[in-house]
Amino acid sequence: CICLPLAPLQLTGVLDDCFCDVESIDVFNNFKIYPRIKKLTGKDYFRYYRVNLRRPCPFWPDDGHCSIKDCHVESCPEVRAPSEIADVTECEQVKELGAINSTLSNRSKQAFADWARHDDAQDNFCELDDETSPDSEYVDLLLNPERFTGYKGPSAWRVWNSIYEENCFKPRSVYRPLNPLAPSRGLCLEKRVFYRLISGLHSSINIHLCAEYLLDEGWSRSVWGPNPQEFRQRFDTAETKGEGTRRLKNLYFLYLIELRALYKVAPYFERAFINLYTGNLKEDGATKDLLLQVFNEIKSFPMHFDEKSMFAGHKIEAKILKEDFRLHFKNISRIMDCVGCSKCRLWGKLQTEGLGTALKILFSEKEIQKLPEHSPSKGFQLTRQEIVALINGFGRLSTSIHQLHSFRLLLDDNR
């Protein structure tokens, strides 16, 4: 039960570092983007993600654990993929809390090998080992939803502290305001942007865990649902000494960054010869049509973030900044190997790669503009892995903002 009064969220008005307001983003996301992105991430092309969950932590001994049972990879009965998906009832029956279904049939592996022939990597912001390592596996994201697993304690804190503190930018960085009217807070451009991106990602993940919380672990079935008290502890102004509102604003900042990346990359996908290949031509066409619908909605948004203020500077400086960000996100992807819960690691790696891909797009605007209309080129390319991570990562942010609206209603009802 909820024993303490719940304060309303102090989240409204214009965001820092841009001229967008929270209310407009809420309406745009919850009514136009969220329903479409939810449907899109359920398509076969986007529901399978290739990931290496066996790679050891390179920074410290793995001492993490979950506080509820079976927060590790478990094999499930055979599940066929893409156009050959079988009934998953048996798999659902044996799947425990936090366990990941990663077993695939030989036919599935052949299908995925066929998919791989469509990939072409370049300028990757995250580790490529997950695409090429023999330890990598395809995971069905719909069977492994992001939710509370009980993973907490010193191990979890050490991962986030490493992400925040060990990815410092070089002292040569100089302060350049994103918005001349915004307070500088004494941080250089690169460090401030990087911090807001990571904080936004952290906030988004925490909202998912609060929205899909283990409410009852019964003998027959577990009950998952929103936990307003847990949300309050993470975001309430009084509970967080004023940090909760800033954390949520960073979520909106990250949403705008990835929204802008999707706006910029739309021409890449709008070319007729680009297909989202799974082997089912009818389904592939429907998937691309839905993706283009999402892009059309994104183009209608009137308050896009101006990334030129973030990546301003001479060509050489911009190239150095791009390399800095790329190296930092490669490092973060390695830190994610230190997460002691496999399901948490899965979603952490996916969302990190999604953000890294968004930054790759924003740094590659000129290359995208030069792409030929009717034929492939050796210029800007996205791999299947990057596309799946980009759309699912943005889908997680869209879901967070949608869930945030639900928590507002819950908090109001319990005042």
Side-chain angles (χ1 to χ4, degrees):
C1 65
I2 300 172
C3 303
L4 297 175
L6 297 173
L9 290 176
Q10 302 299 318
L11 185 63
T12 186
V14 177
L15 298 171
D16 296 338
D17 289 330
C18 68
F19 298 101
C20 312
D21 63 271
V22 169
E23 291 81 2
S24 296
I25 297 172
D26 283 341
V27 172
F28 173 73
N29 177 76
N30 295 340
F31 291 98
K32 292 187 175 182
I33 294 300
Y34 174 74
R36 290 178 173 85
I37 204 75
K38 181 179 180 181
K39 185 177 180 180
L40 184 62
T41 53
K43 294 292 187 178
D44 289 346
Y45 185 94
F46 292 106
R47 68 182 289 180
Y48 293 97
Y49 179 66
R50 186 172 175 82
V51 62
N52 181 2
L53 298 176
R54 296 189 178 96
R55 190 164 53 191
C57 172
F59 303 111
W60 57 77
D62 183 8
D63 56 0
H65 66 280
C66 296
S67 63
I68 57 178
K69 63 182 180 179
D70 294 331
C71 184
H72 56 275
V73 174
E74 289 284 352
S75 295
C76 292
E78 176 178 307
V79 177
R80 288 176 293 187
S83 57
E84 312 161 40
I85 297 176
D87 183 8
V88 298
T89 302
E90 293 183 9
C91 183
E92 287 287 350
Q93 291 174 345
V94 301
K95 183 163 64 74
E96 299 288 352
L97 302 177
I100 290 180
N101 171 14
S102 58
T103 299
L104 298 164
S105 67
N106 288 331
R107 293 182 67 188
S108 298
K109 293 176 182 178
Q110 291 172 2
F112 290 137
D114 188 27
W115 290 10
R117 287 193 289 269
H118 290 259
D119 292 343
D120 183 20
Q122 179 183 329
D123 281 348
N124 295 285
F125 269 70
C126 296
E127 289 291 312
L128 283 177
D129 290 355
D130 284 352
E131 295 188 55
T132 59
S133 171
D135 291 328
S136 296
E137 306 172 282
Y138 276 98
V139 174
D140 187 336
L141 299 175
L142 297 187
L143 294 181
N144 296 280
E146 184 181 23
R147 59 190 180 188
F148 177 80
T149 64
Y151 179 63
K152 58 184 179 180
S155 176
W157 279 110
R158 182 161 52 179
V159 168
W160 280 111
N161 287 340
S162 296
I163 291 173
Y164 279 114
E165 297 175 3
E166 294 185 12
N167 287 277
C168 301
F169 284 82
K170 299 177 177 61
R172 57 176 171 72
S173 301
V174 295
Y175 172 74
R176 296 190 304 275
L178 296 177
N179 175 356
L181 301 180
S184 69
R185 295 188 293 277
L187 294 178
C188 66
L189 172 96
E190 293 91 339
K191 191 169 183 178
R192 189 167 83 256
V193 169
F194 181 85
Y195 173 81
R196 295 199 68 183
L197 294 177
I198 298 304
S199 174
L201 177 61
H202 196 178
S203 297
S204 179
I205 290 173
N206 280 334
I207 291 173
H208 301 151
L209 304 187
C210 295
E212 294 291 335
Y213 200 87
L214 181 61
L215 302 177
D216 183 27
E217 190 175 2
W219 287 103
S220 58
R221 60 186 294 270
S222 298
V223 178
W224 305 84
N227 186 330
Q229 190 66 27
E230 183 71 20
F231 179 88
R232 178 180 184 272
Q233 292 175 358
R234 296 174 187 264
F235 297 106
D236 179 77
T237 301
E239 290 282 338
T240 61
K241 299 181 179 179
E243 283 296 312
T245 300
R246 187 187 299 275
R247 293 170 186 170
L248 293 174
K249 284 188 174 183
N250 289 338
L251 162 64
Y252 281 83
F253 178 77
L254 174 58
Y255 179 89
L256 289 172
I257 291 291
E258 295 203 14
L259 187 75
R260 184 61 167 174
L262 290 171
Y263 175 86
K264 290 290 185 180
V265 83
Y268 176 88
F269 290 98
E270 289 170 344
R271 296 176 297 170
F273 65 88
I274 295 293
N275 63 81
L276 304 177
Y277 181 84
T278 67
N280 184 331
L281 295 181
K282 183 177 180 180
E283 179 69 13
D284 294 349
T287 300
K288 184 172 180 180
D289 287 344
L290 184 55
L291 178 62
L292 295 182
Q293 289 178 31
V294 172
F295 285 138
N296 287 334
E297 291 293 349
I298 290 173
K299 290 178 182 179
S300 72
F301 184 64
M303 293 181 290
H304 274 287
F305 179 77
D306 182 8
E307 77 285 352
K308 291 180 181 178
S309 60
M310 185 169 73
F311 303 132
H314 298 293
K315 184 176 181 180
I316 295 178
E317 182 183 2
K319 184 176 181 180
I320 294 173
L321 179 58
K322 176 182 178 180
E323 181 64 11
D324 276 350
F325 269 87
R326 188 182 70 84
L327 292 175
H328 288 313
F329 274 88
K330 286 178 73 73
N331 193 29
I332 291 175
S333 68
R334 298 309 309 274
I335 292 175
M336 287 297 176
D337 289 322
C338 300
V339 175
C341 164
S342 292
K343 185 171 287 186
C344 308
R345 188 183 310 171
L346 163 67
W347 285 103
K349 290 170 78 71
L350 181 146
Q351 291 171 85
T352 299
E353 182 169 17
L355 175 52
T357 303
L359 291 174
K360 167 183 172 176
I361 292 166
L362 293 178
F363 278 115
S364 305
E365 179 179 8
K366 292 183 178 179
E367 289 87 343
I368 295 174
Q369 292 174 345
K370 294 177 181 178
L371 289 173
E373 179 72 22
H374 303 292
S375 62
S377 70
K378 295 183 179 180
F380 177 86
Q381 296 286 341
L382 290 175
T383 67
R384 177 187 299 270
Q385 183 86 353
E386 290 173 318
I387 296 170
V388 171
L390 176 69
I391 296 301
N392 276 283
F394 179 71
R396 293 282 77 204
L397 300 177
S398 177
T399 300
S400 292
I401 290 177
H402 185 266
Q403 291 171 336
L404 191 54
H405 175 72
S406 299
F407 274 115
R408 282 198 186 99
L409 298 178
L410 286 173
L411 296 180
D412 289 342
D413 290 342
N414 286 280
R415 288 181 63 189

